[in-house]
Amino acid sequence: MGKASIIVFSGDLDKAMAALTVATGAAASGMDVTLFFTFWGLNVIKKGGAWKGEGFMGKMFNFMARGGDAIGPSRLNMLGMGRWLMKRVMKKKNVKLPREMIADARELGVTFLACEMSMRVMGVRKEDLIPVDDIVGVATYVQEASKADIALFI
Amino acid sequence: MGKASIIVFSGDLDKAMAALTVATGAAASGMDVTLFFTFWGLNVIKKGGAWKGEGFMGKMFNFMARGGDAIGPSRLNMLGMGRWLMKRVMKKKNVKLPREMIADARELGVTFLACEMSMRVMGVRKEDLIPVDDIVGVATYVQEASKADIALFI
Amino acid sequence: MGKASIIVFSGDLDKAMAALTVATGAAASGMDVTLFFTFWGLNVIKKGGAWKGEGFMGKMFNFMARGGDAIGPSRLNMLGMGRWLMKRVMKKKNVKLPREMIADARELGVTFLACEMSMRVMGVRKEDLIPVDDIVGVATYVQEASKADIALFI
């Protein structure tokens, strides 16, 4: 039922969630899905790291602190709360967290590829990442994406 | 003449304009175009809201204030002015504003879809939005996008 | 061997590098590649400008200064150093700089198109840009992209 190929370039929670939502949605529809984690997107598949430590929420709080009154209320609603509160709200609203979405994607057979060049530039080693299917170069991405029915850069 | 499917994830004016420009351009070329408004992109189709209130310009000014001398002059040219001035310049330069572009897109038959999950997470209700064709889930997006000749994430 | 069409909307170094990496990778694989530089992406093909002057590093330093401890260490590794140091590291790591990547793309036959409307809005003249193949409108983009096997918005 077709093929989807998504570059996960961003390490931001909202974009990672969008990428994982499309990936799991496509896989659940029977598509053959590949995620290419590159640049900041490598943070999404780091063991612990940006997704578990203080760094991410620090960034969210920082964002809120400096742009609080300059951004819309719905944006504030989401950003103006601690990690635990956000977690609770997402559970209550029946929205999955990235870690759960990654597990779902895995179970649905989504292929996880990490970008070799980005890892070199950012100093990320294989052992820093959760298990991926392969570490590849741009040629592999191009080959995959050129056959894809949906090719996105997120 | 083909099909275009665009995820409007960003709520930033520049990206919304890019999405609407491609959408109207594709529709004008006879393509069947669908816009999926998700996450911050929901702000683009909010009644009044972020596009009419103080929030947006506040953000622009904020951006300018904190990054003023750190960004290129062309960026400054665009950001370093009030909403009314920007409006005048855009009119003078014959560039349409988002509201006009949305009206154009409507007239050209572009389909407007809002993301159900995002609405739930962000606390956005149907009545907060301008009329859309439907409120849908990721499965609908995947089905649409897999048949599209142009599928973008903006 | 197929066709790739990439909108370069962002003027950020990391995204420009991603766009140029995919473009040269696709061209090296024998694909027919077109880059559409629009909005901030015009900075990528400016003569000197944002890529040579102080503006860009100022932005990077600024980013680091205000978000330093809120972002992950790999992000800091890349941003927390002067332009010359970054240049050295990239050379040492065998990663090409944007200028070199543009030259590579040129040599590999990648088509460079600049967006007419963006140039008008941002006050960018043809003579401000490095030589491009053409200055075009959205209709040309749509025509190209609808035939592409890989269509991305970066």
Side-chain angles (χ1 to χ4, degrees):
Chain A
M1 219 222 87
K3 202 171 158 55
S5 153
I6 303 172
I7 295 180
V8 186
F9 174 89
S10 172
D12 297 332
L13 174 65
D14 51 3
K15 289 197 177 172
M17 279 179 58
L20 289 164
T21 302
V22 174
T24 51
S29 304
M31 291 182 90
D32 176 21
V33 184
T34 306
L35 291 172
F36 293 86
F37 294 91
T38 183
F39 255 84
W40 317 116
L42 289 171
N43 286 331
V44 180
I45 50 168
K46 264 195 187 154
K47 275 185 201 145
W51 295 90
K52 223 170 106 189
E54 291 311 291
F56 179 72
M57 275 320 289
K59 190 180 166 190
M60 287 192 99
F61 276 125
N62 201 34
F63 177 72
M64 182 185 60
R66 68 163 201 271
D69 59 331
I71 45 177
S74 64
R75 208 152 186 171
L76 255 187
N77 278 347
M78 191 174 161
L79 297 174
M81 47 176 118
R83 183 182 180 77
W84 66 272
L85 180 52
M86 188 169 123
K87 241 176 170 166
R88 257 181 61 183
V89 171
M90 286 173 78
K91 274 225 169 93
K92 213 179 112 198
K93 298 207 178 194
N94 202 23
V95 177
K96 297 204 172 183
L97 291 165
R99 281 288 167 221
E100 299 173 80
M101 293 179 80
I102 286 175
D104 285 354
R106 285 306 209 171
E107 224 163 280
L108 285 160
V110 172
T111 302
F112 282 56
L113 301 179
C115 169
E116 189 270 333
M117 190 183 85
S118 300
M119 289 177 66
R120 203 155 15 102
V121 178
M122 324 276 279
V124 174
R125 296 154 310 162
K126 200 187 169 175
E127 55 266 36
D128 298 331
L129 303 177
I130 60 172
V132 294
D133 295 289
D134 210 353
I135 294 171
V136 301
V138 66
T140 304
Y141 165 72
V142 166
Q143 209 175 353
E144 285 283 319
S146 64
K147 287 178 280 178
D149 299 284
I150 306 177
L152 302 176
F153 181 97
I154 297 182
Chain B
M1 219 223 88
K3 202 171 159 54
S5 155
I6 302 172
I7 294 180
V8 185
F9 174 90
S10 172
D12 296 333
L13 175 64
D14 50 5
K15 289 198 177 170
M17 279 179 58
L20 289 163
T21 302
V22 174
T24 51
S29 304
M31 290 182 92
D32 178 21
V33 184
T34 305
L35 291 172
F36 293 85
F37 295 91
T38 185
F39 255 84
W40 317 117
L42 289 172
N43 286 330
V44 180
I45 51 168
K46 263 196 187 153
K47 276 183 199 147
W51 295 92
K52 224 170 106 187
E54 292 310 292
F56 179 71
M57 275 321 288
K59 191 180 166 189
M60 288 192 98
F61 277 125
N62 201 33
F63 177 73
M64 181 185 60
R66 68 164 203 271
D69 58 331
I71 45 178
S74 65
R75 208 149 185 173
L76 255 188
N77 278 347
M78 191 174 161
L79 296 174
M81 48 175 117
R83 183 181 180 76
W84 66 271
L85 181 51
M86 188 170 124
K87 241 176 169 166
R88 257 181 61 184
V89 170
M90 286 175 77
K91 276 230 167 89
K92 214 178 114 197
K93 297 207 178 193
N94 203 23
V95 177
K96 297 203 170 183
L97 291 164
R99 280 288 168 220
E100 299 173 79
M101 294 178 80
I102 286 176
D104 285 354
R106 285 308 210 168
E107 225 163 281
L108 286 160
V110 172
T111 301
F112 281 57
L113 301 179
C115 169
E116 189 271 332
M117 189 183 87
S118 300
M119 290 176 66
R120 206 159 10 104
V121 178
M122 323 278 278
V124 174
R125 296 155 309 162
K126 202 189 167 175
E127 55 265 37
D128 298 331
L129 302 178
I130 61 171
V132 294
D133 294 290
D134 211 351
I135 294 169
V136 302
V138 66
T140 305
Y141 165 72
V142 166
Q143 208 176 352
E144 285 282 320
S146 64
K147 288 178 280 178
D149 300 284
I150 306 177
L152 302 176
F153 181 97
I154 296 181
Chain C
M1 220 223 87
K3 202 171 157 59
S5 154
I6 302 171
I7 294 180
V8 185
F9 174 90
S10 172
D12 296 333
L13 175 64
D14 49 4
K15 289 198 176 171
M17 278 179 60
L20 289 163
T21 302
V22 174
T24 50
S29 304
M31 289 183 92
D32 177 21
V33 184
T34 306
L35 291 171
F36 294 85
F37 295 90
T38 184
F39 254 83
W40 317 117
L42 289 172
N43 287 330
V44 180
I45 50 168
K46 263 195 188 154
K47 276 184 200 148
W51 295 91
K52 223 169 105 189
E54 292 310 291
F56 179 72
M57 275 319 289
K59 190 180 165 189
M60 288 192 99
F61 277 124
N62 202 33
F63 177 73
M64 182 186 60
R66 69 165 200 271
D69 58 332
I71 45 177
S74 64
R75 207 151 187 172
L76 256 187
N77 278 349
M78 190 172 161
L79 297 174
M81 47 175 116
R83 183 182 181 77
W84 67 272
L85 182 51
M86 186 168 125
K87 241 176 169 164
R88 258 181 61 183
V89 171
M90 286 174 78
K91 276 229 166 90
K92 214 178 114 197
K93 298 207 178 194
N94 202 21
V95 177
K96 296 204 171 183
L97 291 164
R99 281 287 167 222
E100 299 173 80
M101 293 179 79
I102 287 176
D104 285 354
R106 284 307 211 170
E107 224 163 280
L108 286 160
V110 172
T111 302
F112 281 57
L113 301 179
C115 170
E116 190 270 334
M117 190 183 85
S118 299
M119 290 177 65
R120 204 156 13 102
V121 177
M122 323 277 279
V124 174
R125 296 156 309 164
K126 201 187 169 176
E127 55 266 36
D128 298 330
L129 303 177
I130 61 171
V132 293
D133 294 290
D134 211 352
I135 293 170
V136 301
V138 65
T140 305
Y141 165 72
V142 167
Q143 210 175 352
E144 286 282 319
S146 63
K147 287 177 281 179
D149 300 284
I150 305 177
L152 302 175
F153 181 96
I154 297 182

